[in-house]
Amino acid sequence: VPTIASTDAPTSALAVIYTPEGQFSEYLMIPTNPNMVIMDTGVVSRAPVRLLVSGMGDALSTYFEARANKVSGCQTMAGGASTLAAQAIAELCYKTLLADGYKAKLAVEQGLCTKAVENIIEANTYLSGIGFESSGLAAAHAIHNGLTQLAECHHLYHGEKVAFGTLVQLVLENAPMAEIETVLAFCRSVGLPTNLHMMGVKELDMARLMEVAKASTAEGETIHNMPFKVTAEDVLAAIVTAHQLGL
């Protein structure tokens, strides 16, 4: 019975373990999913708006990571191959964010629940949760894990880092500029960070950013689900490029 919609964790059988310092440690796979997830939309809509927006950031990556896994044919987080249903859920998640994210933010800023808020709660929690678990994670969440190497980013919520990770993934893919602009415009409309300065990184220290890139490409990381080989050097270049695009 989650009282916030800040991540897609409630529906999944996956937990994320962090070190006491706030750095990513490992994924913990739980044997079964919850039998039921119950959300009081009135309670969720009265929580701080930043939590709902963070959930949108987490959900933003679902479609793009699912799309990458579909191309690469890598195993999903739940095991096995992705399905048409999983891909459709992931795409619906993205479309719902674009359609209702800004409207939901405005309502929750006033502590109110509208149809848009209900749709975003569903997207953040259910569509994203089932979408990522049944399709797979890729670069965006690996970039998030790498960013936990920076103490300046420890104050950020999970979805805020994932949103920037999504931009980095799009740069890695050399996605069309129109698609990148759509994602940037969405992030700006709801208040998700689009560059490193907004995340607390005052100066671009290439050595420290390389530590982020190396952590993002560690053995077993989900970035290796991308449909092409990704090196730490590739990630560093994509991080800096995404930062410049998002200024």
Side-chain angles (χ1 to χ4, degrees):
V1 187
T3 56
I4 56 176
S6 62
T7 73
D8 53 23
T11 58
S12 77
L14 178 148
V16 184
I17 309 300
Y18 297 91
T19 67
E21 294 73 38
Q23 296 179 343
F24 170 79
S25 175
E26 61 183 316
Y27 290 119
L28 174 66
M29 300 305 296
I30 300 165
T32 59
N33 295 70
N35 291 329
M36 186 180 295
V37 178
I38 303 171
M39 301 185 78
D40 185 327
T41 55
V43 172
V44 175
S45 62
R46 289 192 295 273
V49 69
R50 185 182 167 194
L51 293 166
L52 187 76
V53 170
S54 175
M56 293 190 225
D58 194 21
L60 179 63
S61 71
T62 305
Y63 167 63
F64 299 107
E65 293 186 289
R67 183 176 72 178
N69 274 272
K70 180 182 179 183
V71 175
S72 66
C74 289
Q75 191 176 68
T76 71
M77 298 303 286
S82 181
T83 61
L84 292 173
Q87 292 290 325
I89 287 172
E91 186 173 4
L92 178 60
C93 180
Y94 179 53
K95 288 180 176 178
T96 303
L97 293 176
L98 295 184
D100 288 331
Y102 180 61
K103 291 180 286 183
K105 173 181 180 281
L106 294 178
V108 171
E109 282 178 337
Q110 305 303 317
L112 301 172
C113 185
T114 62
K115 183 59 178 174
V117 173
E118 291 180 348
N119 290 346
I120 290 300
I121 291 171
E122 180 178 350
N124 287 6
T125 312
Y126 181 69
L127 299 179
S128 182
I130 300 302
F132 97 77
E133 194 169 57
S134 301
S135 299
L137 299 177
H141 271 79
I143 302 298
H144 161 279
N145 296 343
L147 287 168
T148 65
Q149 298 295 314
L150 299 178
E152 302 98 306
C153 293
H154 287 177
H155 71 286
L156 295 166
Y157 291 140
H158 173 78
E160 293 168 334
K161 290 181 290 229
V162 171
F164 183 70
T166 301
L167 290 168
V168 177
Q169 175 173 323
L170 290 171
V171 172
L172 279 171
E173 294 174 319
N174 197 27
M177 197 60 210
E179 187 170 65
I180 293 174
E181 289 287 2
T182 298
V183 172
L184 280 171
F186 169 75
C187 289
R188 287 169 177 148
S189 74
V190 297
L192 287 165
T194 59
N195 60 69
L196 292 168
H197 294 333
M198 292 175 71
M199 299 166 71
V201 180
K202 293 184 173 57
E203 295 182 13
L204 301 194
D205 183 326
M206 292 301 168
R208 296 189 66 218
L209 290 178
M210 179 53 86
E211 291 177 16
V212 171
K214 287 179 177 177
S216 302
T217 53
E219 185 178 353
E221 259 300 351
T222 57
I223 203 165
H224 303 299
N225 290 342
M226 295 296 289
F228 47 83
K229 187 178 184 337
V230 182
T231 67
E233 289 74 18
D234 295 332
V235 173
L236 175 63
I239 288 173
V240 175
T241 302
H243 166 76
Q244 293 295 333
L245 285 167
L247 288 174

